[in-house]
Amino acid sequence: MDYVKLINCMRCGMCLPSCPTYKETFLETASPRGRVALIRKLQEGELDQSERLLEFLSLCLDCQACASACPCGVNAGELVAEFTCEKKSESGLGFMEELILRKLVPHPDLLETSMVPMRMYQKSGLQKLVRTLGVLKMFPKPLERMEGLLPTLPPRPLRREIQEVTPAVGSERGTVGFFLGCVMSLIFSDASRATIKLLSMLGYRVITPRNQVCCGAPNMLGGDLEGLKEAAHTNVDIFGGYSVDYIVTDCGGCGAELKKYGHHIEGEAAAAFSSKVRDISQVLALHTEELHAKLKPLQQKVTYHDPCHIAHCQGIRKEPRDLLKLVPGLEYKELEAADACCGSAGTYNITRPEMSDRILQRKLDTVRASGADILVTSNPGCLLQLKKGLADQLPAVKLMHLTEVLALSMSN
Ligand code: SF4
Ligand code: SF4
């Protein structure tokens, strides 16, 4: 770990009000400043590694809200993630981590096959019965949480049905590569279908390589830096085989990770790959006039939740808002603390249910106060978390991906 990154913290405390875990606990050890200090003391050998200390570090969501607030460029979330990776490289992956991160996640075919039982569970009506009878209460809590978060799966993953080349509508202005996020393809395929449609309507030929693999974000989350590097090498090689203007993604988490490939692995190819990565909102925002001409009225009130991986990790805030404001009739209402984490954070909502629920509750309260009919966001983790939260507390509010709103307005 780069020691300089640790000593850059001048302990001003400006990051504290933006940290979700500090807001819930008011504990210095659960704040960005405290986490940086803990890692520093560990590195300097002034503290011994204890379970309690690791507990405070692992309570971090890696939302990186602290990085947006810090005047010194300190990123406590990233430092905690790096620390976790270092610890993991010393201890090695556990059996289940090895199985999931190395044997399952990097293989889209296997990943898709692993979802077949879930699809059957839903299609057969068993899920409805299990939920009605409350059977899951008899199973371990994490299993109950996972089941509760799972929305209705589409009949097929998008990767299995999307054509490798989607032609441009009208005259072709360029070619983009489309990065299919695993969760987007498996669960939110309608949103990615809308993304591809928008790109092609704007004159882009869209190439979606079928052999692309997971971006590696789950590996990073699990402290598996080697697994992340393998994913990066594979994707850089695959997309390097096409001549594209941009590599577009509609998944905030994937975009944040893909943009860091140039940092994770050496070589010009990785740097070139990362320099071409764009969140879909960045590409659509280049064509607002054309889009505006195609959009038809939607008489609804909308608000937007900034995914941490889009706002804090990629610095994209204006584009999604500008795009929503393009839709005629759509009343835009800014959400209070729109860029505060929703508590999803990868598997945090399963491993840290109590803290995750507290953070989610704050978000739901702001959505309720906004009075919006539609809540928009652009990251699968947020979509999963907010879908569950809205279903439980605000069932009248519809949750949509940004591209679904624009495609809906276009087809009205
Ligand atoms: S991490 Fe940044 S904002 Fe927080 S205390 Fe340190 S210097 Fe200040
Ligand atoms: S990444 Fe998020 S949870 Fe972690 S210290 Fe920073 S603000 Fe707090």
Side-chain angles (χ1 to χ4, degrees):
M1 179 175 293
D2 186 354
Y3 185 67
V4 176
K5 289 185 191 168
L6 292 169
I7 58 170
N8 276 348
C9 175
M10 59 175 181
R11 299 171 195 156
C12 64
M14 285 177 73
C15 52
L16 268 56
S18 62
C19 176
T21 57
Y22 180 74
K23 281 194 278 187
E24 293 302 329
T25 62
F26 293 111
L27 288 172
E28 178 68 19
T29 38
S31 77
R33 181 174 62 185
R35 289 182 176 119
V36 173
L38 286 177
I39 297 174
R40 182 174 169 179
K41 293 289 172 200
L42 274 168
Q43 298 290 93
E44 289 171 348
E46 283 188 39
L47 266 182
D48 287 332
Q49 196 173 294
S50 68
E51 284 299 319
R52 191 157 162 70
L53 189 147
L54 294 178
E55 168 79 11
F56 282 122
L57 293 181
S58 70
L59 203 60
C60 171
L61 298 124
D62 195 14
C63 66
Q64 304 196 12
C66 48
S68 293
C70 178
C72 305
V74 178
N75 188 334
E78 207 167 73
L79 288 167
V80 173
E82 276 179 38
F83 175 81
T84 310
C85 278
E86 280 182 18
K87 292 280 128 209
K88 196 62 78 178
S89 72
E90 285 165 21
S91 65
L93 296 176
F95 175 74
M96 282 310 283
E97 290 167 323
E98 177 83 24
L99 192 71
I100 294 169
L101 297 176
R102 294 293 179 89
K103 305 275 189 283
L104 187 64
V105 169
H107 307 285
D109 285 329
L110 279 179
L111 201 56
E112 287 163 5
T113 307
S114 73
M115 296 297 281
V116 171
M118 288 315 291
R119 204 167 278 118
M120 284 167 63
Y121 168 66
Q122 291 185 335
K123 262 186 87 177
S124 65
L126 190 60
Q127 182 178 46
K128 208 169 161 201
L129 188 69
V130 163
R131 285 186 178 181
T132 311
L133 297 176
V135 173
L136 282 157
K137 299 247 175 296
M138 296 188 297
F139 287 86
K141 271 268 166 240
L143 195 71
E144 189 189 347
R145 294 277 299 185
M146 275 196 276
E147 201 280 343
L149 283 164
L150 191 73
T152 307
L153 297 170
R156 300 183 76 200
L158 185 62
R159 195 182 71 94
R160 296 254 170 135
E161 66 176 48
I162 196 77
Q163 13 179 355
E164 188 141 304
V165 179
T166 306
V169 174
S171 62
E172 192 178 302
R173 65 155 32 103
T175 302
V176 296
F178 182 59
F179 189 85
L180 265 178
C182 307
V183 187
M184 294 304 293
S185 171
L186 287 167
I187 300 178
F188 300 109
S189 53
D190 284 347
S192 288
R193 213 175 278 112
T195 302
I196 294 169
K197 181 181 166 190
L198 288 169
L199 288 166
S200 99
M201 295 280 280
L202 287 169
Y204 287 104
R205 187 164 73 107
V206 185
I207 298 177
T208 312
R210 263 182 220 277
N211 51 349
Q212 59 182 288
V213 299
C214 170
C215 65
N219 300 84
M220 189 65 194
L221 202 69
D224 176 23
L225 196 54
E226 278 315 303
L228 166 64
K229 287 181 180 178
E230 275 179 33
H233 279 295
T234 307
N235 284 323
V236 167
D237 285 350
I238 289 168
F239 279 89
Y242 302 92
S243 171
V244 295
D245 303 305
Y246 305 119
I247 296 164
V248 182
T249 175
D250 57 7
C251 163
C254 300
E257 207 57 68
L258 299 174
K259 285 181 178 179
K260 285 193 284 193
Y261 277 5
H263 163 75
H264 290 310
I265 56 175
E266 287 181 6
E268 277 178 30
F273 176 100
S274 285
S275 71
K276 285 186 182 179
V277 176
R278 299 285 185 282
D279 180 68
I280 180 63
S281 64
Q282 294 179 292
V283 178
L284 296 180
L286 299 173
H287 310 289
T288 49
E289 277 186 27
E290 278 163 79
L291 259 178
H292 190 241
K294 293 180 197 294
L295 297 172
K296 299 184 195 81
L298 284 180
Q299 301 297 346
Q300 304 225 262
K301 194 170 176 183
V302 69
T303 192
Y304 176 72
H305 158 70
D306 289 279
C308 301
H309 283 100
I310 293 191
H312 301 303
C313 302
Q314 299 185 61
I316 302 168
R317 296 163 189 269
K318 188 174 180 297
E319 291 86 343
R321 289 171 170 78
D322 286 353
L323 290 163
L324 288 171
K325 288 173 189 169
L326 280 182
V327 180
L330 199 61
E331 186 190 340
Y332 179 79
K333 179 89 169 83
E334 183 66 23
L335 195 65
E336 195 198 323
D339 67 353
C341 183
C342 65
S344 172
T347 53
Y348 193 95
N349 48 4
I350 294 160
T351 57
R352 299 276 173 183
E354 198 201 318
M355 181 59 79
S356 170
D357 284 349
R358 285 163 69 176
I359 295 167
L360 172 64
Q361 192 55 54
R362 281 183 189 254
K363 183 61 66 179
L364 294 173
D365 290 344
T366 62
V367 175
R368 186 181 286 108
S370 77
D373 310 303
I374 305 174
L375 172 63
V376 175
T377 195
S378 306
N379 186 55
C382 307
L383 286 166
L384 284 170
Q385 174 87 335
L386 294 169
K387 207 169 184 67
K388 170 85 171 82
L390 292 179
D392 289 347
Q393 296 186 32
L394 297 167
V397 179
K398 194 166 182 197
L399 181 68
M400 296 177 84
H401 190 284
L402 174 68
T403 58
E404 287 180 298
V405 178
L406 297 172
L408 176 68
S409 159
M410 220 177 245
S411 64
N412 245 3

